[in-house]
Amino acid sequence: MTDRLGDRLVTAREEGFVGRRRETAAFRALLAAGRGAVVYVHGPGGIGKTTLLHHFAQLARRAGRPAVRLEAAGVRSYEEELTERIPDRPDLVLLIDGLDDPRVARDTVHRELLPRLPADALVALAGRTAPPLSWRLDPAWQGLLHLLPLGPLDEADSRELLTRRGVPPAVQDQGLAFTRGHPLALALVADVAAHGGEAAGADPSPQIVRALLASLLEAVPTPLHRTALEASSQVLSTTEPLLAALLQVADARPYFDWLCGLSAVESGLRGVHPHDLVRDALDAELRWRDPERRAALHRRASAYYQRLFTQEDDRARQRAVLADFAYLHRDSPVVGPLLEPVARGAAGAARLDRLSVSPGPVSGGELVEACTIAAIHEGIEAARLVHDWSRRPEAQTYTVRGPDGVAAGFYTLIELGGAPPADAPDAPDDPAVRAARGWLAEHGELRGGETALLVRFWMSRDEYQAVSPVQTLITLRLTHHYLTDHKPAVTLLPFADPEFWEPGCAYVDFARLPAADFTAAGRRFGMFVHDWRRVPALAWLAMLTERERAEDPFAVTPPAASDPLRVLDREEFAEAVRDALRGLVRADGLRDSPLLRTRLVAGRCAAGEAGPKERAAALREAVRAAAAALEASPQDRRAFRVLHHTYLRPAGTQARAAELLRLPMTTYRRHLTAGVARLTELLWQEELEGGGPEDCGPGAGEGDRPGGPPEVSRPE
């Protein structure tokens, strides 16, 4: 018998075939049954569809059945193929590869080819996507259609494949770590290794990435579709509005629908995301090919996430998107290792999604679970404090629950003023609270109505305060508290291992605060602090965005203005509001207002370093927004009308304003006093909460280099 090259290729291909035991068993069973059936193999490019069809053909020949392989792209006419290449035999096995065009699958194969085949023919089709929905819903296909979705090889099969291709054991672990069981990537690793190249590593070889992407992206319709796929690799999950922001298009639906149709892209609760290998390959290729585009995509994603905290009030969406924001920092050598549960992409997000936080402060059985966790890690005294604080209105305990419904962790928040309230003599004697109050009384500069938020306890049941999904979820939930719910003036956060967490805390502008350290149960806890008056929420998020893409994140200092933040007390603030009203409509009437350097204005300029004109505009907008709130309230509408004719659109004199309002002067003055008081009250509340969502410049906020103590200045 002549040894032909084709036979040698078939033999080599079979000798290199590994894994796919489930798919092989299913096909063998259909061969043995001898009944007509259609097997539909689908999966992303390079996942091994063609190799599996070759294997199916060999199985058919060994079973004595004629096997015919066709390429969908090379078939001119199925009518011609039927007469020239496909034998009219009941035991026919027909294999068609590359069935990626949905029109070919729907029209040519479904409607023309399959009905003409013998009733007992076994057909195997392979394409990137699952068969059309009409196939799966058609009653005629019930019992005939067998779907075989292909995923990555497991570790044992992956290692066997590399071994058969001559990859030395010493370099197999690197290849396995990068390829994650993707057959094409494994083969490329072997090819590069055979030519003396580096198979894989922390930065995968460009040869591997280019070859892999050539297969994955060969069917991309337009450059914008490619950008959509690249963009999806940069974010944890992609939704249609996010994709529109990343592509900078008004309508992203065509591109989002296209992403959803790719077999390399998977769907989840958060949106769609590429297969982890595809994500890694796209990211690695984009990193060295076009780092500026990669940075731009990160900036757009960060801006989109930040807008959710200023333009929407969907708390659940805000909480979920914090994981997406954290994912942008996965490459940071400082915080990347601390974000491991998020940095793992879809798998990490799924682990977080299986956890939940109690909707409100716990009591009863949930409180017992929290006390038990505290006792395990910090002793009986800690458990007693968790229990005692649960009875206090200024404290709230929340549990983190696993998929089994059992508490997997908890955290306790305590709102503090500068000194213990006079009516709280029965408050627990807590060393952490004593230390926090001591620092606040001496350095905190809290004003009436302002509070500090002490994260008194936070821990995972199994990992305590080590990096874990529970720790990550608590961190994200605490961040949501800071940005939306509590809006404290200051956040105090203790750690049992402050040295481990100090670099990460510095990255997020939580400064080490040894003066507030405390000892409990024989262990010394290190305290960290962030002053939200110095660096408001949106300025904080903007700073993190800059640090994410900086070569040296600590070279990006918290946004600072030329003057420190002004901290006015209630009376000083009210007097400044009265002065601002008198100068509201004059061109330079707000130039010297003390309010220009308050938290009220800084919060409305959180995206940038605003100049005097921008700050004055933000102050005018704050006053007008507060006045609009009065107008919308039936109880305050009369006060608004007086303010309107006196300050917002002044009539010229108070006498003229009273005349327009048809009010006696005594009544007019009474309503004016009430209106100014209500307006001041609304602005004061905004001052305490950190300002509104407006953006009046390219970067604002207050602060010094991370690690230094928070500083504010009081007026002379």
Side-chain angles (χ1 to χ4, degrees):
M1 181 179 68
T2 304
D3 185 17
R4 295 179 298 178
L5 179 60
D7 295 328
R8 292 172 59 188
L9 292 174
V10 169
T11 301
R13 188 179 292 119
E14 273 298 285
E15 289 177 350
F17 183 83
V18 299
R20 306 305 187 197
R21 284 173 283 276
R22 181 183 65 86
E23 294 82 359
T24 297
F27 193 80
R28 286 184 188 276
L30 293 172
L31 280 173
R35 296 189 298 271
V38 175
V39 176
Y40 206 110
V41 178
H42 62 94
I47 201 66
K49 300 182 296 295
T50 299
T51 300
L52 184 60
L53 255 61
H54 280 295
H55 183 57
F56 284 172
Q58 286 297 100
L59 294 177
R61 295 187 182 104
R62 291 172 191 167
R65 299 181 62 169
V68 177
R69 289 192 71 259
L70 304 176
E71 289 290 334
V75 175
R76 298 181 302 278
S77 164
Y78 278 108
E79 181 77 24
E80 180 180 337
E81 297 292 342
L82 282 169
T83 57
E84 295 182 4
R85 295 187 54 187
I86 302 177
D88 186 15
R89 293 180 48 172
D91 57 350
L92 171 69
V93 175
L94 177 63
L95 307 106
I96 302 177
D97 198 10
L99 198 62
D100 298 324
D101 188 334
R103 291 171 298 180
V104 173
R106 180 186 65 245
D107 299 333
T108 309
V109 175
H110 186 209
R111 296 176 182 173
E112 297 179 21
L113 174 63
L114 296 181
R116 303 185 184 201
L117 295 178
D120 294 331
L122 177 57
V123 181
L125 309 174
R128 293 174 184 260
T129 61
L133 185 62
S134 59
W135 291 32
R136 290 171 273 168
L137 297 181
D138 190 341
W141 284 94
Q142 298 302 311
L144 292 178
L145 184 62
H146 301 267
L147 301 183
L148 292 182
L150 289 191
L153 299 173
D154 62 26
E155 182 176 350
D157 290 335
S158 299
R159 195 175 291 279
E160 182 181 355
L161 189 152
L162 291 178
T163 299
R164 291 190 183 188
R165 292 182 179 243
V167 178
V171 298
Q172 287 185 8
D173 288 340
Q174 288 182 321
L176 293 174
F178 167 63
T179 59
R180 300 182 186 177
H182 193 284
L184 173 59
L186 287 165
L188 291 168
V189 167
D191 288 343
V192 174
H195 289 84
E198 183 159 326
D203 293 310
S205 167
Q207 302 101 297
I208 297 175
V209 175
R210 282 196 294 268
L212 181 57
L213 287 178
S215 175
L216 295 175
L217 300 177
E218 62 185 13
V220 173
T222 69
L224 202 54
H225 284 81
R226 181 187 180 106
T227 301
L229 187 54
E230 289 174 339
S232 72
S233 74
Q234 299 305 307
V235 295
L236 183 59
S237 57
T238 304
T239 61
E240 189 174 320
L242 172 58
L243 187 61
L246 295 175
L247 299 181
Q248 295 185 309
V249 298
D251 181 11
R253 183 168 185 176
Y255 309 103
F256 186 76
D257 289 345
W258 175 77
L259 281 178
C260 293
L262 295 177
S263 55
V265 174
E266 303 170 354
S267 299
L269 295 175
R270 297 170 176 267
V272 300
H273 58 269
H275 179 279
D276 284 344
L277 175 68
V278 178
R279 183 198 296 278
D280 290 349
L282 286 166
D283 185 34
E285 195 266 350
L286 185 62
R287 187 190 303 268
W288 64 262
R289 180 176 59 83
D290 196 346
E292 291 184 2
R293 183 202 291 265
R294 186 176 185 270
L297 290 171
H298 280 226
R299 285 195 300 271
R300 295 170 194 170
S302 180
Y304 173 81
Y305 300 143
Q306 292 180 54
R307 284 197 296 272
L308 291 180
F309 285 91
T310 61
Q311 299 177 358
E312 295 188 14
D313 195 29
D314 186 342
R315 297 296 181 89
R317 178 63 181 143
Q318 289 173 347
R319 285 194 291 265
V321 85
L322 282 171
D324 299 71
F325 186 84
Y327 182 73
L328 296 178
H329 299 258
R330 63 194 179 275
D331 295 332
S332 167
V334 180
V335 296
L338 308 180
L339 297 171
E340 186 271 338
V342 171
R344 292 181 57 197
R351 293 177 67 189
L352 288 182
D353 290 338
R354 288 194 290 270
L355 301 172
S356 62
V357 176
S358 58
V362 300
S363 60
E366 289 182 311
L367 179 60
V368 171
E369 290 178 306
C371 291
T372 301
I373 295 172
I376 291 172
H377 294 291
E378 295 187 9
I380 296 300
E381 180 61 19
R384 183 188 66 78
L385 286 172
V386 173
H387 177 269
D388 291 349
W389 279 118
S390 71
R391 300 178 176 181
R392 301 291 308 169
E394 67 269 30
Q396 298 176 321
T397 293
Y398 299 84
T399 55
V400 178
R401 316 198 75 74
D404 56 0
V406 178
F410 81 97
Y411 60 95
T412 297
L413 309 177
I414 303 176
E415 288 189 344
L416 303 174
D423 59 348
D426 58 338
D429 182 17
D430 189 330
V433 174
R434 286 201 308 271
R437 286 197 188 279
W439 181 83
L440 289 168
E442 188 172 352
H443 305 289
E445 300 285 0
L446 293 182
R447 299 168 291 180
E450 286 185 336
T451 61
L453 184 67
L454 170 64
V455 184
R456 175 58 185 96
F457 296 100
W458 65 274
M459 62 189 74
S460 162
R461 179 192 62 206
D462 299 327
E463 295 90 1
Y464 186 38
Q465 291 186 358
V467 175
S468 70
V470 171
Q471 167 269 327
T472 299
L473 182 59
I474 290 175
T475 299
L476 297 177
R477 189 56 64 94
L478 289 175
T479 303
H480 190 259
H481 276 292
Y482 309 151
L483 299 181
T484 59
D485 294 334
H486 290 267
K487 289 191 176 179
V490 172
T491 293
L492 296 161
L493 181 60
F495 290 86
D497 186 0
E499 289 73 23
F500 173 79
W501 290 99
E502 187 164 3
C505 285
Y507 184 95
V508 297
D509 198 40
F510 272 67
R512 184 73 172 87
L513 197 64
D517 287 358
F518 63 94
T519 300
R523 175 186 292 164
R524 187 161 184 82
F525 290 79
M527 191 74 77
F528 294 80
V529 64
H530 179 83
D531 191 324
W532 299 102
R533 301 165 300 181
R534 181 174 60 92
V535 181
L538 295 185
W540 181 72
L541 291 174
M543 177 200 70
L544 294 182
T545 297
E546 293 299 319
R547 287 186 170 180
E548 178 266 320
R549 59 178 180 267
E551 184 175 346
D552 177 9
F554 295 113
V556 179
T557 59
S562 57
D563 299 321
L565 188 70
R566 298 291 296 271
V567 180
L568 305 177
D569 62 27
R570 181 67 171 82
E571 291 73 19
E572 293 165 337
F573 186 88
E575 179 61 31
V577 170
R578 289 191 290 271
D579 289 342
L581 286 171
R582 287 190 285 268
L584 192 66
V585 297
R586 298 201 309 269
D588 60 348
L590 301 179
R591 182 183 59 189
D592 299 322
S593 173
L595 298 175
L596 295 179
R597 290 295 176 186
T598 60
R599 197 181 183 201
L600 169 72
V601 172
R604 289 178 169 264
C605 298
E609 174 64 35
K613 290 183 179 180
E614 291 81 10
R615 287 182 173 271
L619 178 54
R620 285 191 177 89
E621 177 57 32
V623 172
R624 295 185 185 281
L630 295 181
E631 183 183 19
S633 169
Q635 295 89 342
D636 296 319
R637 199 161 293 155
R638 182 173 294 178
F640 164 77
R641 294 178 62 218
V642 175
L643 289 173
H644 178 79
H645 288 293
T646 306
Y647 297 121
L648 303 179
R649 187 168 294 179
T653 65
Q654 290 192 359
R656 177 58 180 157
E659 181 182 344
L660 288 174
L661 293 167
R662 299 179 181 178
L663 294 174
M665 281 300 296
T666 54
T667 304
Y668 162 80
R669 290 192 178 108
R670 186 173 70 252
H671 289 321
L672 180 61
T673 299
V676 172
R678 283 289 293 127
L679 184 80
T680 301
E681 181 181 344
L682 293 177
L683 292 173
W684 177 249
Q685 190 60 39
E686 187 172 337
E687 162 75 3
L688 296 181
E689 293 182 354
E694 303 303 325
D695 176 1
C696 64
E702 322 295 338
D704 302 314
R705 185 172 178 83
E711 295 180 357
V712 293
S713 71
R714 299 190 65 81
E716 298 296 333

